[in-house]
Amino acid sequence: MGSVLVLYNYELDDSCYRVRLALSLLGLEWRAVAVDVFPGKEHLSPPFLAMNPSGRLPILRDGDLVLYGPEAILAHLA
């Protein structure tokens, strides 16, 4: 984890909240990218489906590594 982590995030999603909480507690440098889930359904657009074919958030980019799903992201951060 050498670069700034990028979290594709929807503020009202509990899975995104868990990842935001872990990032903050671990004191990591990260930035959030707001995703228009409702009503925009941006998470179902081709660029997001390329990162996560299931069309769900959160998605974390760590350099060239892209992880999706809170369990995979939290395991990576740990």
Side-chain angles (χ1 to χ4, degrees):
M1 287 186 275
S3 59
V4 175
L5 302 167
V6 178
L7 176 65
Y8 296 90
N9 174 61
Y10 179 58
E11 284 292 318
L12 301 177
D13 182 90
D14 64 329
S15 295
C16 293
Y17 171 75
R18 289 185 292 175
V19 173
R20 290 193 314 267
L21 181 62
L23 287 164
S24 295
L25 290 172
L26 292 169
L28 298 172
E29 186 177 349
W30 63 284
R31 70 179 180 88
V33 174
V35 179
D36 182 10
V37 171
F38 183 78
K41 297 188 180 183
E42 184 180 14
H43 61 299
L44 299 177
S45 66
F48 281 94
L49 291 174
M51 289 190 283
N52 179 2
S54 72
R56 301 186 64 175
L57 295 176
I59 300 171
L60 182 79
R61 182 179 296 277
D62 183 0
D64 292 333
L65 178 65
V66 177
L67 296 164
Y68 53 87
E71 295 83 7
I73 294 170
L74 293 172
H76 175 71
L77 295 176

